[in-house]
Amino acid sequence: MTRLSAARIVLYVISALVLVYLILPVLIIAPISFSSARFLTFPPPSFSLRWYQQYFANPAWMQATRVTLTVALMTVLIATPLGVAAAYAISQSKLRIMRLIHMMLLLPLVVPIIITAVGIFFVYAKVGLVATLPGLVLANVMLGLPYVIISVLAGLQSFDPAQEMVARSLGMNRLRSFFAVTLPQIKSSVAAGGIFAFISAMDETIVALFISGGQYQPLTKRMFTALRDEIDPTIAAISTLMTAASFLLVLLLASTRQKRGG
Amino acid sequence: MLALVSPALLVILALIVLPVGWLAWQSIYHDGFTLENYRRVFTEAIYSRSFALTFEISLAVTAIALLLGYPVAYLANSVPKGWSILILSLVVLPFWTSVLVRAYAWLALLQRTGVINQFLRYLDVISEPLALVHNTFGTVVATVHILLPFMVLPLYATMQKIPGDLMQAGASLGASPSLTFIRVFLPLSLPGVLAGCTMVFVLCLGFYITPELLGGGRTVMVSMLVSRNVELYNQFGAASAVAVVLLVSVLLIFFAVSRFISLDRILGHK
């Protein structure tokens, strides 16, 4: 039906160029990480795993990796139940104040992250949470909460609350009916929210720049510092691994969506 | 129900409301009330230059993102389902790579010995490497790259809701395709344009990592002003005042835009 007019061809060309612009930087890192060259040359002179060896052999990078994984995991374990409880309350309650609370819970998406970071730094400095693991986890829980809440609220929207009423009228208490009836039906939204919170914690950089230090520096802070000084291809190796991890998580996310069957 | 929501609320109150409140307090109180910090922010050249630069960069980034994003959203909206899923997947693909990783990628692409300069020299287009990064140009290229998905997704969502019959009606009344586009499609897509532009502009105002790593120290955006005042100069009061001015600007923009379209529309696309 669509005749290939000149305008249409221009549209295709522009869109193709924009898509190349979007994807090229994502694709360029892996070849650099497998190159033997100290400095960037493209195409890489020969294949090598030296940058991966440097990463895995370096105790500082390994410690940072442990911090990142610990923080991301603990963030999910805390933010997910808090977010599910909050989303459930928001969707069920008819209190007028709930709308205000809902908006407040989304504040981390609205306030520029640099402001949040500096503010948390000042508060942590007063209470001694700077350069600690709990401090880092708490900040990431706050940043991850909106993702869990948005995802679970979307899941609850397509759930019929009457089903839970039935369970309760059959004698289950509210808690049991939630776990037996509601949760199984929104579990893919809960999983999606948790995965978002994990990725958010894994990638978080700016707050960590201000509040992390000593042995509790996550990968992103060490990468940022390294990038400011010089371009070391070890970063390409780490970036490739981080990107692979993110993509695996997204595939996981897509598969939880698929299972629900629409 | 309030009991269920209170743990999450407590986290938000302790880790964002209290810290931001603290900043506001610190910006006006230092051994007594003072407006000295704000006087500096509004009168000293280093601050006004940085605010002006930040607004200019954010405007430029928003305009470029709209110019690049609109055709992609339009194409995704006008092709069969399978193709549009492919296009949108490519658009959100960079979403899942960390901002830091992408800053590294742009350094690798744009630096003097980078991929693009090597390629251009190989083609003999240039004899000396171009200064593509460690300046405002590099910052804008990388920032648009990061924010483009925030433009395309609301645009696409809005275009999806425009009924196709309207275009046919326009055509059947004798309008040319370009006239139908300008008179029918474009006006109906404006809410998406507004939502996308707002999100991109506001996010850009607070950008930190990209200008810090790709700006070469010359592109001092407001966020860098905040961090330098804290980390280098220990000027906590001044840093707080800058942060408050930035936050108020962001909130005012959201408030102004919310009179035209709902905030859910701006924030709801992920």
Side-chain angles (χ1 to χ4, degrees):
Chain A
M1 182 188 98
T2 41
R3 191 169 48 87
L4 221 53
S5 63
R8 195 87 195 153
I9 291 169
V10 172
L11 179 68
Y12 285 138
V13 172
I14 292 177
S15 302
L17 288 176
V18 172
L19 291 177
V20 168
Y21 163 69
L22 276 172
I23 300 157
L24 187 66
V26 181
L27 297 181
I28 202 82
I29 302 161
I32 295 173
S33 74
F34 289 114
S35 160
S36 60
R38 178 82 188 83
F39 296 102
L40 278 175
T41 37
F42 208 84
S46 66
F47 177 85
S48 151
L49 288 176
R50 64 186 278 206
W51 307 117
Y52 288 89
Q53 282 163 356
Q54 290 221 348
Y55 166 61
F56 284 108
N58 182 326
W61 283 123
M62 284 298 102
Q63 167 65 14
T65 309
R66 271 193 296 275
V67 172
T68 290
L69 292 177
T70 312
V71 168
L73 203 63
M74 290 177 71
T75 299
V76 174
L77 291 180
I78 301 171
T80 313
L82 292 193
V84 171
Y88 181 76
I90 290 169
S91 75
Q92 300 288 303
S93 168
K94 286 173 187 70
L95 293 173
R96 287 190 74 185
I97 195 164
M98 216 42 119
R99 214 180 132 65
L100 179 71
I101 293 176
H102 182 188
M103 282 176 70
M104 283 182 68
L105 293 175
L106 300 184
L107 268 182
L109 297 178
V110 178
V111 179
I113 185 83
I114 183 83
I115 295 176
T116 314
V118 177
I120 293 179
F121 167 72
F122 287 136
V123 172
Y124 275 15
K126 289 279 175 201
V127 295
L129 276 171
V130 173
T132 65
L133 201 59
L136 208 50
V137 171
L138 270 177
N140 277 293
V141 167
M142 180 272 293
L143 294 170
L145 266 177
Y147 299 118
V148 179
I149 292 172
I150 289 174
S151 175
V152 174
L153 270 179
L156 283 169
Q157 234 167 28
S158 53
F159 167 73
D160 180 6
Q163 293 186 23
E164 203 180 301
M165 296 298 212
V166 173
R168 276 159 62 196
S169 74
L170 291 172
M172 277 189 185
N173 64 29
R174 191 147 204 160
L175 193 68
R176 262 194 76 197
S177 62
F178 174 78
F179 280 104
V181 179
T182 313
L183 191 60
Q185 299 196 44
I186 59 165
K187 63 175 191 288
S188 67
S189 312
V190 175
I195 291 174
F196 278 129
F198 188 93
I199 295 179
S200 141
M202 190 173 75
D203 287 347
E204 202 293 313
T205 311
I206 299 178
V207 174
L209 281 177
F210 283 90
I211 65 161
S212 73
Q215 55 170 323
Y216 295 120
Q217 295 183 43
L219 262 183
T220 46
K221 174 160 183 176
R222 285 208 183 273
M223 287 169 75
F224 184 89
T225 325
L227 275 178
R228 208 151 44 169
D229 300 340
E230 59 153 347
I231 301 188
D232 176 351
T234 311
I235 311 253
I238 302 171
S239 298
T240 306
L241 293 173
M242 276 180 83
T243 306
S246 291
F247 283 2
L248 282 178
L249 286 171
V250 174
L251 285 180
L252 192 70
L253 192 75
S255 71
T256 61
R257 288 266 163 86
Q258 293 271 294
K259 267 183 217 140
R260 197 166 50 176
Chain B
M1 283 301 148
L2 282 176
L4 274 179
V5 82
S6 52
L9 191 60
L10 200 66
V11 170
I12 296 292
L13 287 175
L15 287 144
I16 192 158
V17 178
L18 174 69
V20 170
W22 193 297
L23 283 179
W25 172 250
Q26 199 168 236
S27 72
I28 54 166
Y29 191 88
H30 183 78
D31 301 331
F33 285 100
T34 169
L35 287 175
E36 172 60 16
N37 292 315
Y38 287 97
R39 191 195 60 75
R40 286 180 59 189
V41 169
F42 284 108
T43 56
E44 286 182 18
I46 178 168
Y47 293 99
S48 50
R49 251 202 316 253
S50 180
F51 270 100
L53 180 75
T54 304
F55 272 88
E56 284 165 17
I57 290 184
S58 302
L59 272 181
V61 164
T62 307
I64 297 170
L66 180 60
L67 283 177
L68 299 183
Y70 200 97
V72 174
Y74 185 88
L75 184 69
N77 182 48
S78 66
V79 290
K81 185 98 182 154
W83 282 103
S84 69
I85 289 176
L86 177 72
I87 293 172
L88 292 175
S89 311
L90 292 177
V91 168
V92 295
L93 186 76
F95 245 171
W96 305 109
T97 20
S98 114
V99 170
L100 208 54
V101 171
R102 283 184 277 163
Y104 175 78
W106 282 113
L107 278 174
L109 282 165
L110 297 177
Q111 64 179 329
R112 288 175 72 82
T113 55
V115 178
I116 290 179
N117 267 318
Q118 282 184 35
F119 185 64
L120 290 178
R121 285 175 83 169
Y122 171 77
L123 293 180
D124 261 336
V125 181
I126 53 169
S127 53
E128 284 297 303
L130 300 172
L132 300 173
V133 77
H134 300 303
N135 52 24
T136 308
F137 176 81
T139 307
V140 170
V141 169
T143 306
V144 171
H145 180 257
I146 289 165
L147 294 178
L148 201 47
F150 294 95
M151 180 67 83
V152 175
L153 295 185
L155 278 176
Y156 175 76
T158 306
M159 290 176 183
Q160 279 275 289
K161 289 188 212 116
I162 300 175
D165 341 350
L166 283 179
M167 308 292 285
Q168 283 168 19
S172 72
L173 291 171
S176 68
S178 51
L179 192 67
T180 341
F181 173 79
I182 291 170
R183 299 290 280 274
V184 181
F185 192 86
L186 192 62
L188 287 172
S189 69
L190 284 182
V193 172
L194 187 59
C197 287
T198 308
M199 205 60 212
V200 170
F201 187 80
V202 163
L203 285 172
C204 191
L205 282 182
F207 246 45
Y208 177 67
I209 295 176
T210 317
E212 184 76 274
L213 290 176
L214 299 170
R218 282 184 288 271
T219 313
V220 182
M221 288 183 66
V222 170
S223 54
M224 293 157 72
L225 216 53
V226 176
S227 101
R228 280 172 194 198
N229 269 319
V230 173
E231 291 188 320
L232 295 179
Y233 314 128
N234 282 331
Q235 298 275 358
F236 293 165
S240 304
V242 175
V244 168
V245 174
L246 176 61
L247 181 62
V248 169
S249 320
V250 166
L251 294 180
L252 279 179
I253 292 169
F254 273 129
F255 176 73
V257 173
S258 72
R259 304 180 68 103
F260 299 101
I261 51 175
S262 83
L263 277 184
D264 291 347
R265 194 154 186 170
I266 309 171
L267 295 174
H269 302 286
K270 174 67 199 178

